[in-house]
Amino acid sequence: MNSYLLGIDNGGTMMKASLFDDKGREIAQSSRKTELIVPFPGHIERDKDILWKANYEAIQEVIEKSHIDPRHIIGAA
């Protein structure tokens, strides 16, 4: 049985999910744009519901693209 690791990167305007095999090779990746909320200069906020949805969708897509059984994902960071 192969095992996989899921990486999640929530950057300022983009979030990315990547799936790697146990040798460190990228198997699949997906990303979503996320918006920054700037209520006034020098302050940045993010809508947690939008961020959560972007993460969910990207993780779901990366698993679909990879065609692996998600039970074989042994860790995420």
Side-chain angles (χ1 to χ4, degrees):
M1 173 183 82
N2 292 335
S3 55
Y4 302 90
L5 297 170
L6 177 66
I8 301 169
D9 177 11
N10 279 293
T13 58
M14 183 76 67
M15 76 76 46
K16 182 169 111 173
S18 297
L19 193 65
F20 299 90
D21 68 12
D22 56 2
K23 305 278 191 262
R25 294 179 294 234
E26 187 177 63
I27 303 301
Q29 94 61 42
S30 178
S31 61
R32 295 287 186 279
K33 288 186 178 183
T34 55
E35 293 184 32
L36 296 177
I37 302 166
V38 183
F40 48 91
H43 291 80
I44 296 174
E45 299 174 1
R46 297 173 76 180
D47 184 311
K48 65 177 176 42
D49 294 326
I50 292 172
L51 191 60
W52 177 256
K53 183 179 179 199
N55 278 266
Y56 173 84
E57 290 173 353
I59 292 167
Q60 183 178 27
E61 183 178 314
V62 84
I63 290 170
E64 289 171 1
K65 282 182 173 181
S66 70
H67 304 289
I68 65 134
D69 184 337
R71 293 177 291 183
H72 296 163
I73 299 174
I74 61 170

